[in-house]
Structures are given as structure tokens and as C-alpha cells.
Amino acid sequence: MKRVLAVLIALVALAAVSACGGDAPKNALGSRKITVDDRVAAPAMRGDYMSGSGSFDLAQHKGQVVVINFWASWCAPCRSEAPELEKVAAATKADGVTFVGVNVRDQRDGAAAYLADTKPSFGSIFDPAGELALEFNVPPNSIPATLIVDRKGRLAAVMRMEVDQKVLEPVVRDLLAEQG
């Protein structure tokens, strides 16, 4: 019994630090595409871009596939996945895919420095209290997290891991190919 309890405690501890706690392996274990019949409407999401160049409202993007990336400046896997997100954003831009970042549980100066370093082609919303993240069921210990909303505004894929182009782009392309 003590051995089972020790293993359970170790697994819980590992799960708590596996997301943004270090060098998580790049694989699809933290990824799941939601079947069409099981999809539910994505939560409402709006906010001003950190750049000051307007705002984002998910409701205005029905008819498009939307990729939402939750990140923080202090998250090493978030930083290393940034160029991979850019590759997918560039490869799918002509198809009308929208990307938006959500900076969570961060300081504005750190977030601004991160954006200056990574230079994303898409805007990010500042969410210091993590309210948007919680609406999408993204707790702070599960970033980076990338969620994809289908053309009908439904949550279609959840990736609670550092993503790369070979994991993310096929999911986005599958959602683009869906009718409706």
C-alpha cells in the first residue's frame, strides 16, 4: 500500500511539473483532437492586443479555424515553440487561419520583452489573472497549451504540450478540410 501511494505521489508531482517545468518531450501525448460529435462551443474570448493595435473577439472569427496559444514569458517551452507556431501561421495564413496568443500569469514587462524577442506575426492578449485561460480549462501549470477552434466556433483540438509544426499543422489542415 505504501509503495502504491508513493508511486501515485510521484506521478502527481511529475504531472505538475511536466508542462512548463522543463524540457518536456515533443510528442503527441498531450494532444487530442475532439471528434465532431463531441465538440462544444468554445468559451467567449475577447481582449485587447498587447501591442495596442486593436482587439480580438473570438465570436468575430466564426467561419475560420482559430489557433489559440496560451504562453508566459517565464515558460521555457513556450519560448522554444514560438518559431514552430510561426511556421504554421505562415503556412496556413492564405487559408484564412487565425492565430492569437494569450499571455497568462505574467508581468506586463516580461510579456512585452518576450514579444520583442520572439516577434510573432499575430497578436497576443494580456491575461495576468489567467481568467481567459481558466475559461478554456487551461490551468497555469499546463502551459504551453494550444487550442484550436473549428469553423463553427467549437473547441476541436487541445494540445497541452510544447507543439511543433509536424504536430500542429496536420491538425489545422484536417480542420480546414472539414465541410461546414
Side-chain angles (χ1 to χ4, degrees):
M1 182 68 167
K2 287 182 182 180
R3 176 181 252 180
V4 171
L5 185 58
V7 169
L8 285 174
I9 291 171
L11 287 173
V12 169
L14 178 62
V17 298
S18 65
C20 199
D23 298 323
K26 288 184 182 178
N27 63 37
L29 292 177
S31 173
R32 102 181 146 90
K33 187 173 174 194
I34 302 167
T35 62
V36 174
D37 291 338
D38 292 333
R39 294 180 191 167
V40 296
M45 182 177 135
R46 4 184 136 74
D48 293 330
Y49 288 123
M50 291 183 63
S51 65
S53 63
S55 61
F56 178 86
D57 184 348
L58 183 58
Q60 293 179 350
H61 292 275
K62 278 209 175 160
Q64 298 176 329
V65 172
V66 179
V67 178
I68 306 166
N69 178 254
F70 292 88
W71 62 274
S73 65
W74 43 263
C75 170
C78 298
R79 187 171 295 273
S80 63
E81 82 174 355
E84 298 295 316
L85 291 166
E86 279 301 313
K87 289 176 190 175
V88 180
T92 60
K93 183 177 183 174
D95 297 312
V97 176
T98 298
F99 276 69
V100 64
V102 180
N103 173 259
V104 297
R105 300 287 183 177
D106 213 342
Q107 301 294 317
R108 190 171 285 277
D109 289 346
Y114 173 95
L115 292 173
D117 288 345
T118 60
K119 298 176 181 49
S121 61
F122 51 89
S124 280
I125 298 168
F126 188 56
D127 183 26
E131 292 170 6
L132 292 173
L134 289 176
E135 288 290 320
F136 280 86
N137 195 24
V138 177
N141 67 336
S142 70
I143 63 168
T146 302
L147 286 71
I148 308 172
V149 176
D150 69 12
R151 294 177 194 266
K152 293 183 178 179
R154 301 171 303 182
L155 194 56
V158 177
M159 300 175 177
R160 295 179 192 276
M161 57 186 242
E162 179 182 348
V163 297
D164 61 20
Q165 185 176 14
K166 67 184 175 203
V167 169
L168 181 59
E169 189 171 345
V171 176
V172 172
R173 295 239 176 250
D174 285 349
L175 292 170
L176 284 169
E178 288 181 358
Q179 298 301 315

